[in-house]
Amino acid sequence: MLEETGEPYQLIEKSTRAEDLQSADYLRLNPNARIPTLIDGDVVLWESMAINLYLAEKYLGPLHFAGPRRWSPASGASGRCWNLSRCCSTF
């Protein structure tokens, strides 16, 4: 989705080996020790649905969401999206 925003970004490729994802540095960013993780200034999101909603609200482009902001990082969006993805098999 970052490509579709047209905004510059830096992709950091991360190994999917458990020992790499379980490092203390990565666990501070993503307590689930999974990929993806988005870092945007002071904002850190670690669930793909939360990341996509955040990008759709923040950046103009074909997928921009101009409605009321509901998915601020401070609202716990990553955790809520993670919970939804685990309890709802249709997600």
Side-chain angles (χ1 to χ4, degrees):
M1 186 162 168
L2 278 167
E3 285 290 320
E4 294 165 355
T5 68
E7 296 292 324
Y9 66 92
Q10 177 185 8
L11 175 66
I12 299 172
E13 296 200 20
K14 187 76 176 155
S15 164
T16 57
R17 294 188 334 226
E19 60 269 15
D20 293 336
L21 296 177
Q22 296 288 332
S23 72
D25 288 339
Y26 193 68
L27 287 172
R28 274 193 287 282
L29 298 173
N30 186 330
N32 287 337
R34 292 185 158 178
I35 294 172
T37 301
L38 173 79
I39 303 169
D40 185 21
D42 292 336
V43 173
V44 178
L45 294 168
W46 43 264
E47 182 63 33
S48 53
M49 185 167 49
I51 290 168
N52 286 331
L53 289 167
Y54 171 79
L55 294 172
E57 288 182 345
K58 181 168 181 177
Y59 295 107
L60 296 176
L63 300 175
H64 178 66
F65 174 73
R69 187 163 199 175
R70 292 186 175 96
W71 292 94
S72 72
S75 73
S78 287
R80 287 190 303 178
C81 289
W82 182 83
N83 287 332
L84 282 171
S85 70
R86 298 305 171 255
C87 74
C88 303
S89 60
T90 58
F91 247 58

